[in-house]
Structures are given as structure tokens and as C-alpha cells.
Amino acid sequence: MARSRGRPALADRAQIDEAAAELFLEQGYEATSVDDIARRAGVARSSFFNRAASKADLLWTSVDHWLDVAERELLEGTEAAETALERVAALCDRIPDEDKPWAIVHRDAMGTRDALLIGVGPRLARYEQLLTLVFGGPRTAEATRVRVLMAVVATRLAGERWVRGSGVPLGVHLREVCRELGLIDADGNPGR
């Protein structure tokens, strides 16, 4: 039986993400169902769930991917805690503009604002836990916690600048915000 519409039956996660992005732009997040996305991607509903846990998780594909990369790479490093922010910024330098989370970039047009607010908590908690491990070391627990929380805020602010701009890597924005917050000095050395 020939398929008349949709993508091939063996759609991968990227095709599902693309189908979701198209539909969210066309009809909005709330008006788009998992069945709509599966149909547009050319997969059965059950196949959709083999590749994504939920419609809401599609909003976070690139963020989740880069958190996975960060966990692998930053936890392998042996540098001193003083270079932790630079290690994070260097990883952020590698994130290409095309990996900007489309659901954040187009949140107003897609109507994803509320769903993003719900899904951001687990990602921030995961990032905070990662930074706690990366920043760990000779500092006291309280000092480490303050630095971690400030780095989370810095990353959030840098992310907003990155999403709104073009061509400037996330790592550059992160270093800039870290300097503004006093986390690093003009030379990139740890601040306060």
C-alpha cells in the first residue's frame, strides 16, 4: 500500500521534531496533537512514543542533547574548579546557531510559552546538578552553591541573548554575562 502523504514510515527524531515545529507554527502548540505530529512525520502514534516521551519533550530536543553532551564532557575533565566556568563556556561555543531551541525562538508564534515554563524546571535542576559536580572541589559547600546558582542565572541570561541574536556563540554571551555578574574578571579569571 503506497503512502500518499507524510514522511517515510521510519521517521527519525529529527523528522518528528521538524513535523512538530511546522505544525506548532501553523496551528499553535495547544491545537496540535501527538496524532497530528505522527501523521505529519509519517509514523504511527506508537512509533512517535518510541522516539519521544511526549509532545512537550519535543520543545527541549536541542537543550536535552547539549545537556547530555555537557554531562559526558564536563564530568570527564580534570581541570581545577577555578576553570569550571571557562569549560562550560568553551562547550557553549560549540553549540551552532541552528541548535537554538525552535520552541523558544518562536515561542510567541507557536504558543509554547506556558509549556516551556512547565518544562524548564527539570532542565534547570539537571544543569544545576551538573554544575555542582563541575564546580566541586576545595571550596566550602555554601560558596560552591552560590557560584553554581550564579552560573545558572548567567547561563539563563546568556541563553536569552543568544536566542535573540545571530552569529554570536552562546559561550561568548556566557562570558559576557559572567563578567557583568562578577563571576569572572576581564581576563576570564574567577571573580569574587
Side-chain angles (χ1 to χ4, degrees):
M1 177 180 207
R3 290 176 120 19
S4 60
R5 296 177 4 138
R7 292 183 172 84
L10 298 175
D12 64 14
R13 177 64 186 261
Q15 289 172 298
I16 291 171
D17 286 344
E18 182 180 334
E22 291 169 358
L23 286 165
F24 296 164
L25 279 171
E26 290 169 14
Q27 56 194 39
Y29 177 79
E30 290 299 327
T32 302
S33 69
V34 167
D35 289 333
D36 295 333
I37 298 167
R39 190 175 315 109
R40 175 74 62 99
V43 299
R45 180 181 170 87
S46 60
S47 295
F48 171 94
F49 288 110
N50 287 333
R51 292 168 181 84
S54 69
K55 175 175 86 167
D57 280 347
L58 297 176
L59 305 177
W60 298 100
T61 299
S62 73
V63 172
D64 291 338
H65 165 75
W66 283 101
L67 281 171
D68 291 343
V69 171
E71 285 175 345
R72 281 192 311 272
E73 294 184 11
L74 295 176
L75 295 178
E76 291 174 2
T78 57
E79 290 89 348
E82 288 78 27
T83 64
L85 271 174
E86 180 51 38
R87 290 172 49 218
V88 171
L91 181 120
C92 289
D93 284 335
R94 296 182 14 226
I95 303 174
D97 260 9
E98 55 269 11
D99 276 6
K100 287 180 182 178
W102 46 263
I104 295 173
V105 173
H106 304 291
R107 64 184 158 226
D108 293 329
M110 292 181 166
T112 55
R113 188 175 296 275
D114 290 343
L116 288 167
L117 288 172
I118 293 167
V120 73
R123 276 101 190 152
L124 284 175
R126 182 178 173 195
Y127 185 58
E128 182 182 333
Q129 289 173 340
L130 172 63
L131 289 183
T132 298
L133 294 172
V134 172
F135 279 72
R139 290 191 173 89
T140 65
E142 186 174 322
T144 298
R145 178 111 175 99
V146 168
R147 261 183 95 65
V148 164
L149 292 175
M150 287 184 70
V152 169
V153 168
T155 305
R156 171 70 177 82
L157 292 170
E160 273 299 315
R161 292 178 185 181
W162 179 61
V163 164
R164 286 193 313 262
S166 68
V168 177
L170 176 57
V172 171
H173 290 295
L174 181 56
R175 289 179 192 90
E176 179 181 280
V177 172
C178 286
R179 279 191 295 278
E180 291 168 9
L181 294 176
L183 289 170
I184 59 174
D185 64 21
D187 298 321
N189 299 313
R192 307 175 206 176

